Amino acid sequence: MRILKTFFILIFFISLGQVKAQDSSLLKMLDDSIAAVKKSVPVTGTFKGTKIIDLQSVEAPAKNVLNFMIQHRFGTINQGAYNLFGLDNATMRFGFDYGITNTLSVGVGRSTFEKMFDGYLKYKLIKQTEDNALPVTVDIFGGLYYNSLKYDSKPYLTSKYRTTYTAELIIARKFSRNLSLQLTPVWIHNNLVATTADKNNLFALGMAGRLKITRRLSLTAEYNYLPSGQVNSFKVYNSFSAGVDIETGGHVFQLHVTNSQGMVDPVFIAQTTGSWGAGNIYFGFNVSRAFNVAKKTKQL
Amino acid sequence: MLKNTLLALALLVICNAGRTQLYITTNGFAGFYSKTPLEDIKAENNQVFAVVDVAKKSLAFSMLLNGFVFPKELMQEHFNENYVESDKYPKATFTGAYTDDVDLGKGQEVTLHVNGTLTLHGVSKPVATTATLHLTGGVLTGTASLQLVPADFNIAIPGLVKEKIASKIDVHITINCKPRNK
């Protein structure tokens, strides 16, 4: 009788164990099938902003999202206390980016420098996937820049001479949740250059990275290498910038220091006259805000 | 006494050997809704994996968190990157059971009390909810509604957006399962 009772208790516990096992085996069954169909999900959030600092990133607004960005670059820090370390001399650019589709976006902007208008298209060729079937995200970028300064004494400066083009291939990889790197070969075509010693077609390589330090804060840096011998009539430096990105909901705040005051590609890549060594460093920021402009879908 | 014990034993053995009767789906629905005066947020996932064993009265759910679709793409990115951290914790899972004495064979909707464990964002919590099951034409339809508190799952909501995200999130589940291997 006692043995029987012990046996009963034993069986009872075994049965309990089996109920538990059943639960996890059900889940395991689902996990096996989830793994089997897990699609190659595209990687998101390679960078926080559509610009890393000055350089275009692989990011673009999603379909029907309008992104408004204000960029400021103050004067050089080495101007001293009289000019409040450059804060008295600000130049700015503001621009809009709009997602026509999830892969194609269009942007327009206006800069203080040369009263320049810019317009561009950015198209996503491939998207990096979680399973690394595609290891990188690649965008193609085409921009047009128009100098609208008045040159009263030079009426022959027609729009043809005021225009510059750029074409870029933007290649980026999110290596981990914290580290993203980007390479951007750039071609710039100036319809007009300062002297015959300067080349109309310029080639450069942009390099940039992001290191995320908390969920909403990251460090960024970019270096735009312009091989020498292309711009000769004035001393041009390679543009180097470093900063932090702070993300709060629909806003991205980017604070940085840079030796470039220009904020559009032909300017900061090929017309950077400031040098880090001489202390020609500008403090600046980009602030962007995303707006959803899609018609509200009817709530059920 | 001996007779009774033997009977109980036999019953247990039968239960253990128990026939399983599995109903399964790979495109169940899960949606969550956050309502505040400032902002309504919704996200829906139509790729929920679920299995119900009506013989053993146990069930399990599993879903990929990046399968939740938001009307705003930026919200979806923030959800995955900042809140549920789907790169670290890609799935939400639930295993549970019900003990209600119900007869699905009548083809009527029955209400059950489900107890189980929900795992989300690396945190496992016991969850109890009511659910319905309805077996018609070989298809087992189940629904459940529950409320979840993000803080319970270690999901931090920064002060800046606290007003925009409800402290309790409504979750709705609907599954249409077919018998397995039939």
Side-chain angles (χ1 to χ4, degrees):
Chain A
M1 192 69 183
R2 192 163 286 270
I3 294 170
L4 219 72
K5 245 182 189 164
T6 321
F7 186 57
F8 177 84
I9 290 165
L10 203 79
I11 291 281
F12 180 72
F13 278 106
I14 289 171
S15 72
L16 274 184
Q18 281 189 350
V19 169
K20 280 227 170 94
Q22 184 58 38
D23 269 0
S24 61
S25 75
L26 279 185
L27 195 60
K28 201 177 169 301
M29 194 163 88
L30 293 182
D31 284 355
D32 289 348
S33 37
I34 238 177
V37 299
K38 192 176 178 181
K39 287 183 297 182
S40 48
V41 188
V43 166
T44 58
T46 307
F47 292 99
K48 275 293 154 224
T50 54
K51 289 191 156 203
I52 295 163
I53 291 173
D54 282 325
L55 199 63
Q56 293 284 341
S57 78
V58 277
E59 301 297 337
K63 187 180 178 180
N64 291 330
V65 171
L66 182 73
N67 203 56
F68 175 52
M69 182 183 266
I70 299 179
Q71 300 178 267
H72 265 75
R73 299 293 178 270
F74 297 99
T76 55
I77 291 168
N78 65 1
Q79 286 174 355
Y82 180 66
N83 280 329
L84 201 64
F85 305 96
L87 294 190
D88 286 349
N89 300 318
T91 71
M92 68 164 301
R93 176 186 176 272
F94 67 92
F96 295 93
D97 288 73
Y98 178 72
I100 298 168
T101 70
N102 282 325
T103 51
L104 178 68
S105 71
V106 59
V108 290
R110 166 67 159 70
S111 303
T112 311
F113 181 73
E114 290 185 338
K115 299 193 186 297
M116 187 175 270
F117 289 90
D118 60 271
Y120 49 84
L121 289 170
K122 205 192 243 184
Y123 182 72
K124 193 152 272 135
L125 293 172
I126 58 171
K127 269 187 178 175
Q128 182 185 344
T129 55
E130 296 280 1
D131 62 0
N132 278 320
L134 290 169
V136 289
T137 302
V138 179
D139 288 7
I140 188 161
F141 170 93
L144 190 148
Y145 308 84
Y146 180 81
N147 171 345
S148 75
L149 275 180
K150 277 184 183 159
Y151 296 103
D152 287 335
S153 58
K154 298 171 183 167
Y156 52 86
L157 284 180
T158 59
S159 58
K160 181 181 160 190
Y161 294 111
R162 294 168 174 271
T163 311
T164 300
Y165 311 93
T166 60
E168 300 175 9
L169 199 62
I170 309 174
I171 306 158
R173 173 165 168 79
K174 190 177 187 176
F175 285 88
S176 69
R177 70 199 310 251
N178 296 326
L179 180 70
S180 304
L181 296 176
Q182 181 178 304
L183 270 183
T184 309
V186 182
W187 169 54
I188 300 170
H189 177 81
N190 290 304
N191 276 351
L192 180 71
V193 286
T195 71
T196 51
D198 300 317
K199 296 249 181 3
N200 287 83
N201 289 307
L202 309 174
F203 296 93
L205 182 64
M207 290 161 259
R210 174 191 78 159
L211 189 65
K212 220 168 153 186
I213 44 182
T214 72
R215 265 179 286 184
R216 291 178 179 81
L217 192 74
S218 37
L219 301 177
T220 55
E222 66 173 62
Y223 180 70
N224 297 294
Y225 173 63
L226 180 73
S228 58
Q230 303 187 92
V231 178
N232 297 311
S233 62
F234 57 95
K235 177 74 185 147
V236 64
Y237 291 88
N238 292 325
S239 160
F240 175 75
S241 316
V244 289
D245 281 10
I246 304 157
E247 185 198 29
T248 59
H251 286 99
V252 182
F253 296 93
Q254 300 175 300
L255 311 175
H256 32 255
V257 283
T258 169
N259 61 330
S260 304
Q261 202 177 20
M263 288 161 274
V264 290
D265 310 55
V267 182
F268 68 82
I269 291 172
Q271 295 180 47
T272 290
T273 51
S275 121
W276 275 80
N280 307 128
I281 301 161
Y282 304 89
F283 170 68
F285 63 80
N286 303 343
V287 180
S288 72
R289 166 81 202 177
F291 298 94
N292 242 58
V293 295
K295 272 184 203 155
K296 277 233 167 94
T297 44
K298 268 191 181 162
Q299 301 268 336
L300 290 174
Chain B
M1 183 63 196
L2 185 69
K3 226 178 182 179
N4 281 346
T5 317
L6 277 174
L7 196 70
L9 221 139
L11 262 170
L12 266 168
V13 169
I14 288 166
C15 283
N16 274 332
R19 342 162 264 133
T20 57
Q21 204 179 338
L22 297 180
Y23 287 86
I24 195 160
T25 182
T26 58
N27 53 8
F29 167 87
F32 67 82
Y33 308 87
S34 150
K35 282 200 160 68
T36 64
L38 284 177
E39 190 154 27
D40 289 347
I41 299 167
K42 68 165 185 175
E44 295 177 338
N45 188 334
N46 283 301
Q47 287 172 299
V48 175
F49 287 64
V51 58
V52 182
D53 186 338
V54 294
K56 286 204 157 76
K57 298 185 175 181
S58 61
L59 48 105
F61 284 80
S62 186
M63 67 198 82
L64 290 171
L65 290 167
N66 61 16
F68 278 96
V69 176
F70 291 68
K72 293 184 183 177
E73 211 256 4
L74 200 60
M75 265 184 193
Q76 194 167 327
E77 187 178 315
H78 292 158
F79 169 76
N80 284 296
E81 211 169 310
N82 299 336
Y83 294 94
V84 295
E85 300 180 83
S86 60
D87 53 344
K88 261 192 200 166
Y89 314 105
K91 286 180 298 195
T93 60
F94 176 81
T95 58
Y98 57 93
T99 49
D100 309 70
D101 194 13
V102 292
D103 184 5
L104 288 164
K106 287 178 182 164
Q108 280 166 345
E109 185 174 283
V110 292
T111 305
L112 316 160
H113 300 82
V114 178
N115 283 289
T117 307
L118 178 67
T119 305
L120 171 63
H121 196 234
V123 179
S124 295
K125 282 263 165 191
V127 167
T129 185
T130 56
T132 67
L133 280 182
H134 189 189
L135 184 63
T136 41
V139 176
L140 182 70
T141 302
T143 65
S145 295
L146 59 151
Q147 283 196 320
L148 296 176
V149 178
D152 286 351
F153 296 92
N154 223 349
I155 297 171
I157 294 168
L160 209 66
V161 292
K162 216 150 216 163
E163 310 279 291
K164 292 184 178 177
I165 299 175
S167 56
K168 284 182 178 170
I169 311 282
D170 291 315
V171 179
H172 298 296
I173 310 276
T174 305
I175 51 169
N176 290 302
C177 302
K178 293 209 165 92
R180 194 170 189 241
N181 302 332
K182 262 186 191 173

